[in-house]
Amino acid sequence: MQAGKAAEKRRDAARPLQLTMKRGYEVLRDPHLNKGMAFTLEERQQLNIHGLLPPCFLGQDAQVYTILKNFERLTCDLDRYMLLMSLQDRNEKLFYKVLASDIERFMPIVYTPTVGLACQQYGLAFRRPRGLFISIHDRGHIATMLKSWPESVIKAIVVTDGERILGLGDLGCYGMGIPVGKLALYTACGGVKPHECLPVMLDVGTDNEALLKDPLYIGLRHKRIRGQAYDDLLDEFMEAVTSRYGMNCLIQFEDFANANAFRLLHKYRNKYCTFNDDIQGTASVAVAGLLAALRITKNKLSDHTVLFQGAGEAALGIANLIVMAMEKEGIPKDAATKRIWMVDSKGLIVKGRASLTPEKQRFAHEHGEMKNLEDIVKDIKPSVLIGVAAIGGAFTTQILQDMAALNKRPIIFALSNPTSKAECTAEQCYKYTEGRGIFASGSPFDPVTLPSGQTLYPGQGNNSYVFPGVALGVISCGLRHIDEDVFLTTAEVIAQQVTDENLQEGRLYPPLVTIQDVSLKIAVRVAEEAYRNNTASTYPQPKDLEAFIRSQVYSTDYNSFVADSYTWPEEAMKVKL
């Protein structure tokens, strides 16, 4: 008993000391400070919260157990999402401790696919502010609105206008669930400090008629405002953010519609520290899966012909990064580009077809126009088939069988989210390719047991392998601009973490339980290259980059609030009469 108490005292002494001027209810209502019944008797007395808590003392592990028991009682994923979000609202460190305890279990709840359902019902789910809502009518006052946020040091922002939420389309103000979920993974997977993160919703209206008629909708009730007024809002937002938080503040664009996503990325990427996860993050995780798959197919990326079902921001981002990876293997850019084909809503993208955007024109080749995907697969004979068009079931039985007939080991990526939008399931892929398909998906699928008895664990090409590590590296070294090399480097790091055992199990990505280690390795490589290329701004350069970055990582362990009290020499404390 005495030994246990002594060990607990040693742990308390080892905890970082946190000072706060708050007292009483203010402490318990602040999620950054609150640790529930884990406050010691001395802390309760000093913080004036003694009596506001039951006369019981629970360690953090016991609190995690309590949350898990409550989690297991619930049968609906949306209810589980609500449980975890309410925990985030009242006890931040416990929330991240729970996520870290089983990231593979909780990620599908706090992010895709459950977050899609939560966004659709965000009006019902909204309890308290977790970010800033800035509307088109706030132009001229964004700098003032940023001062409403209680934290003065912000190093990462995720911003959306809600026009293209996952594969669900325009959800307007309900899209706020995405920046909140993304930043939760910044911390859970990458260790970025949560109080240095800010989710932002830019509400310019919605074209979703159902929302405009919904009496519970929490956003602006008019059609989307576009054109110059929209651009002015974005310009003012970027200027206000960097003016308040500095040019090193990372601004991640999330779930903007195709037309704006590319345009804003090109407009801001060389002026601010910014990236678009739908374009660049998705590209990085997809290329990571391809690089891992090459260890199965035993050839080069430039030996493959790639066909995309979809030609939006995700497809174009992946295609551009594949071209970079092929160039790195030694083939010219033009030759690499010719190995990539795309299908959009109007069919195969070919030269001479009307109304092609500049981004699509790059991948338009000489060929007759074709509309049917099954016919296109037979004609193009791809070895890699990637779905990013959010058309559920697009990879039909015939297409999967044709891919198997054309290739010894066909590579099939069904990357659309949420699960209902996936082009095929893992089971369908393995079944119709006779177990030879190399499969990855955007949403999680259960393991599949083949007729031979072998069990395969489908790889989930989740962007959470990318953006937490990139963010941690960018923030740690003070990178001012994020170029495409960062995302190719990230893809290479992720692929390198896939073991031969993982590949034999059907995994093209490291197990999610290792994601914190993967994020750290990405951050270190990003920082190393930044210092090598003289693009970092944090100086002097740390002698041990890994140790320095580890020191920046958020701890989910509780801090100690015991006053930092000490005595002076007796002579110095004598009262002078």
Side-chain angles (χ1 to χ4, degrees):
M1 188 79 170
Q2 293 299 320
K5 286 184 178 178
E8 184 64 31
K9 280 188 175 181
R10 284 195 298 274
R11 279 197 296 271
D12 285 342
R15 286 179 184 140
L17 185 65
Q18 185 168 351
L19 301 176
T20 178
M21 301 303 292
K22 291 184 177 182
R23 291 294 183 272
Y25 255 33
E26 275 191 294
V27 174
L28 298 179
R29 289 176 171 173
D30 187 335
H32 300 319
L33 302 177
N34 183 29
K35 53 183 186 176
M37 285 186 280
F39 284 109
T40 65
L41 180 60
E42 189 176 359
E43 288 173 329
R44 296 180 191 200
Q45 292 169 342
Q46 290 186 5
L47 296 172
N48 295 342
I49 57 174
H50 189 44
L52 299 180
L53 294 167
C56 173
F57 304 93
L58 289 179
Q60 199 174 18
D61 290 342
Q63 291 178 319
V64 169
Y65 177 76
T66 302
I67 297 298
L68 292 180
K69 295 303 286 184
N70 278 306
F71 185 89
E72 288 162 2
R73 283 192 311 111
L74 302 173
T75 56
C76 168
D77 281 347
L78 184 59
D79 289 340
R80 290 169 169 168
Y81 172 88
M82 298 284 285
L83 172 75
L84 293 176
M85 290 301 103
S86 65
L87 176 61
Q88 186 184 22
D89 283 341
R90 68 178 187 273
N91 186 332
E92 195 170 71
K93 280 189 178 285
L94 184 57
F95 170 73
Y96 288 111
K97 178 69 84 173
V98 168
L99 292 194
S101 72
D102 193 346
I103 193 70
E104 202 159 4
R105 182 183 192 183
F106 294 114
M107 186 183 290
I109 303 298
V110 298
Y111 203 59
T112 181
T114 307
V115 74
L117 180 59
C119 284
Q120 289 175 303
Q121 314 220 10
Y122 204 72
L124 297 174
F126 183 78
R127 293 291 181 273
R128 56 180 287 175
R130 293 194 190 96
L132 273 183
F133 293 85
I134 298 172
S135 84
I136 190 76
H137 308 308
D138 295 316
R139 279 176 297 160
H141 306 280
I142 295 178
T144 304
M145 294 183 72
L146 289 175
K147 292 175 184 175
S148 301
W149 191 249
E151 302 292 340
S152 58
V153 177
I154 295 295
K155 295 187 177 177
I157 287 174
V158 175
V159 59
T160 186
D161 70 355
E163 190 171 4
R164 194 205 63 87
I165 299 298
L166 301 174
L168 302 170
D170 187 348
L171 295 185
C173 209
Y174 283 0
M176 181 53 133
I178 297 296
V180 170
K182 282 277 181 182
L183 287 171
L185 297 184
Y186 265 51
T187 302
C189 303
V192 178
K193 298 179 178 71
H195 53 276
E196 294 179 351
C197 298
L198 174 60
V200 176
M201 174 73 216
L202 297 179
D203 189 355
V204 299
T206 179
D207 292 337
N208 187 324
E209 289 294 338
L211 293 182
L212 292 174
K213 294 173 183 175
D214 183 356
L216 299 179
Y217 179 57
I218 62 175
L220 295 179
R221 293 176 180 275
H222 56 65
K223 293 284 190 179
R224 284 188 172 271
I225 293 175
R226 305 183 185 277
Q228 193 59 49
Y230 179 91
D231 286 356
D232 290 346
L233 177 75
L234 267 294
D235 286 344
E236 183 185 345
F237 170 72
M238 299 296 282
E239 289 167 12
V241 163
T242 49
S243 176
R244 178 157 176 77
Y245 303 125
M247 293 301 294
N248 283 6
C249 181
L250 171 62
I251 305 169
Q252 176 186 324
F253 281 74
E254 186 70 28
D255 287 352
F256 283 72
N258 292 358
N260 288 323
F262 283 103
R263 187 173 63 85
L264 296 174
L265 178 61
H266 294 320
K267 182 177 183 180
Y268 295 132
R269 69 188 307 169
N270 294 320
K271 187 176 180 183
Y272 299 104
C273 178
T274 185
F275 73 98
N276 184 302
D277 186 56
D278 303 301
I279 299 171
Q280 297 161 292
T282 302
S284 188
V285 77
V287 170
L290 291 176
L291 294 177
L294 295 179
R295 288 161 55 189
I296 299 173
T297 59
K298 308 292 184 187
N299 55 9
K300 293 182 178 180
L301 189 56
S302 51
D303 293 328
H304 288 271
T305 299
V306 184
L307 176 64
F308 285 89
Q309 162 64 12
E313 55 198 86
L316 290 163
I318 298 169
N320 287 324
L321 202 62
I322 289 175
V323 169
M324 280 185 65
M326 287 184 178
E327 282 186 278
K328 198 168 182 179
E329 289 181 346
I331 73 167
K333 181 179 286 189
D334 286 348
T337 304
K338 286 175 182 174
R339 296 185 183 277
I340 297 170
W341 296 79
M342 291 192 170
V343 178
D344 65 8
S345 58
K346 295 176 183 176
L348 187 65
I349 292 177
V350 295
K351 284 189 183 295
R353 214 187 80 181
S355 305
L356 289 178
T357 64
E359 288 83 15
K360 289 182 181 181
Q361 283 175 357
R362 183 180 178 194
F363 297 100
H365 309 307
E366 294 289 352
H367 195 284
E369 292 193 21
M370 300 181 72
K371 298 240 181 225
N372 184 274
L373 184 61
E374 289 185 2
D375 294 337
I376 293 170
V377 168
K378 284 186 173 75
D379 191 80
I380 301 298
K381 298 179 174 56
S383 52
V384 179
L385 182 61
I386 300 177
V388 279
I391 301 174
F395 295 169
T396 62
T397 300
Q398 187 62 53
I399 287 173
L400 295 173
Q401 289 174 338
D402 287 342
M403 286 293 294
L406 291 166
N407 305 281
K408 184 180 178 182
R409 297 301 305 268
I411 299 173
I412 297 166
F413 286 5
L415 299 181
S416 293
N417 285 314
T419 311
S420 61
K421 302 288 185 180
E423 288 75 14
C424 69
T425 66
E427 186 174 7
Q428 288 167 340
C429 174
Y430 295 135
K431 180 179 179 180
Y432 297 119
T433 63
E434 301 167 344
R436 292 184 283 117
I438 301 171
F439 180 80
S441 60
S443 288
F445 282 105
D446 292 332
V448 177
T449 301
L450 302 178
S452 64
Q454 182 187 7
T455 299
L456 296 176
Y457 299 82
Q460 185 189 357
N462 196 313
N463 290 21
S464 56
Y465 283 108
V466 176
F467 61 80
V470 168
L472 181 62
V474 167
I475 291 168
S476 298
C477 71
L479 193 61
R480 287 282 172 86
H481 307 295
I482 307 172
D483 60 28
E484 293 301 320
D485 289 338
V486 167
F487 296 98
L488 185 54
T489 296
T490 298
E492 291 168 350
V493 172
I494 295 168
Q496 286 163 7
Q497 306 313 306
V498 181
T499 66
D500 291 339
E501 290 76 17
N502 294 153
L503 293 175
Q504 287 168 9
E505 294 173 342
R507 302 180 194 266
L508 295 182
Y509 298 96
L512 274 174
V513 293
T514 67
I515 198 165
Q516 291 171 324
D517 292 332
V518 173
S519 294
L520 181 68
K521 286 181 169 64
I522 291 169
V524 170
R525 277 284 297 277
V526 168
E528 283 173 350
E529 295 201 1
Y531 282 111
R532 191 180 304 121
N533 298 330
N534 296 318
T535 53
S537 65
T538 300
Y539 283 95
Q541 179 179 344
K543 291 181 180 177
D544 186 337
L545 258 183
E546 183 174 337
F548 172 72
I549 293 175
R550 280 186 187 277
S551 73
Q552 308 296 305
V553 169
Y554 176 73
S555 171
T556 59
D557 294 330
Y558 286 140
N559 293 333
S560 172
F561 290 91
V562 177
D564 186 16
S565 60
Y566 50 93
T567 61
W568 285 5
E570 201 169 316
E571 183 65 31
M573 292 190 295
K574 279 187 180 177
V575 178
K576 304 292 190 285
L577 296 176

